[in-house]
Amino acid sequence: MFVRNEDFRSFIRYYPIISILIGIHILLFVLVNLFGMFSILRLGVGYNRAIELGEYWRLVTPIFLHGGFAHVLFNSFSLYLFGPALEQMLGKGKFLIGYFGAGIIANIATFYLQDSSFSHVGASGAIFGLFGIYFYMAFYRKELIDQANSQLILMILGIGLVMTFISPNINILGHLFGFIGGAALAPILLIGAKPFINRGIIRVRRTAESGEIRFKPNRWQRRKMRPGSSGGGKIIWGIFIGLVILGFIARYL
């Protein structure tokens, strides 16, 4: 579920919503930080005092904005890893409801529980909402996720919560209520959901059987990784370690 083996074009074709969201993250970051369009940041930041004055769009717009390179890198990479499976399992509409629903819940909680001077940006609340959906799935919809991926999600969630409390300049309430919001929405969103199917691998198998080679999900991989092999395990642990490193980078940059 969380080992990406699509090439660039295939990823966009299979997961258009994730691709668009990541593209918006990067575009807005470039416009603000490289082209100096700080008005975008001023109008979109989740500033509680402005929300009190009726600027309610600020409950949504912080989900698209980020405060630094490490911030946008960490959130976009997390979305790249953990978003595709849910986009396929839930469908585009339900995925958007879960993603933005959790993010908005996180921002509403931040508005009511933080003081008027508090401001924030970032997609972390929405991404923790995805973890909330996976968390619910791991305990109550076990037919949708195998044990190995359940354990991986719980480990990533654990390290994410630890980083939430020890890192500076983190919207702790946003992370926590994003997770709670995702878990709360999960029972409805998962109605009719089916287990994730790795389309890239299936297509490779079909073309291999027909003697054709049209699509290589990983052009740089010289040998195939079989499910459950030690190579696949190394990739999963590599993802885990990479996220931890990115978390520490986000803490100090």
Side-chain angles (χ1 to χ4, degrees):
M1 295 176 72
F2 309 123
V3 178
R4 302 269 54 86
N5 54 17
E6 306 88 0
D7 63 15
F8 182 75
R9 290 183 180 179
S10 298
F11 185 90
I12 293 176
R13 183 169 64 254
Y14 293 150
Y15 316 115
I17 299 301
I18 300 298
S19 301
I20 291 171
L21 290 174
I22 293 175
I24 292 174
H25 289 180
I26 296 172
L27 175 62
L28 292 179
F29 178 80
V30 169
L31 290 176
V32 172
N33 292 275
L34 297 185
F35 291 93
M37 299 178 66
F38 296 107
S39 58
I40 295 175
L41 190 61
R42 288 194 296 269
L43 288 172
V45 66
Y47 179 38
N48 282 355
R49 179 56 178 161
I51 298 173
E52 290 175 355
L53 296 175
E55 298 181 3
Y56 299 115
W57 67 82
R58 295 179 186 271
L59 295 173
V60 180
T61 51
I63 298 173
F64 298 101
L65 299 169
H66 294 86
F69 178 74
H71 194 198
V72 70
L73 176 65
F74 184 83
N75 282 344
S76 296
F77 186 59
S78 298
L79 190 56
Y80 165 77
L81 288 178
F82 302 110
L86 282 180
E87 180 176 343
Q88 184 192 109
M89 295 169 72
L90 301 178
K92 298 178 180 63
K94 285 185 178 181
F95 177 83
L96 287 172
I97 291 172
Y99 184 78
F100 285 107
I104 292 171
I105 289 171
N107 292 342
I108 290 174
T110 299
F111 170 65
Y112 280 107
L113 299 177
Q114 294 282 13
D115 57 54
S116 295
S117 63
F118 189 83
S119 62
H120 62 97
V121 291
S124 300
I127 290 171
F128 266 80
L130 302 185
F131 289 138
I133 297 173
Y134 282 122
F135 183 84
Y136 179 90
M137 194 186 302
F139 286 96
Y140 300 104
R141 295 294 303 273
K142 296 181 179 180
E143 75 278 10
L144 296 176
I145 185 170
D146 59 44
Q147 185 177 3
N149 284 312
S150 294
Q151 292 175 349
L152 177 62
I153 279 292
L154 294 177
M155 286 192 297
I156 296 295
L157 176 61
I159 198 68
L161 291 174
V162 170
M163 294 300 298
T164 293
F165 286 100
I166 68 174
S167 300
N169 302 319
I170 293 293
N171 182 7
I172 296 175
L173 291 175
H175 286 199
L176 294 179
F177 278 91
F179 171 76
I180 293 170
L185 292 170
I188 298 174
L189 296 176
L190 290 173
I191 294 175
K194 297 180 180 180
F196 174 73
I197 299 174
N198 194 319
R199 299 177 182 178
I201 291 178
I202 289 177
R203 185 169 181 180
V204 168
R205 288 175 179 171
R206 287 177 178 172
T207 55
E209 290 173 358
S210 64
E212 301 176 6
I213 303 177
R214 300 180 191 171
F215 168 62
K216 296 180 180 180
N218 190 337
R219 298 175 181 177
W220 301 274
Q221 184 174 324
R222 296 185 178 180
R223 63 187 181 87
K224 295 182 179 180
M225 294 292 186
R226 297 181 179 179
S229 67
S230 59
K234 290 178 181 178
I235 293 174
I236 291 176
W237 277 107
I239 292 171
F240 176 70
I241 294 170
L243 284 173
V244 173
I245 293 172
L246 283 175
F248 279 103
I249 292 174
R251 178 183 180 185
Y252 292 109
L253 291 184

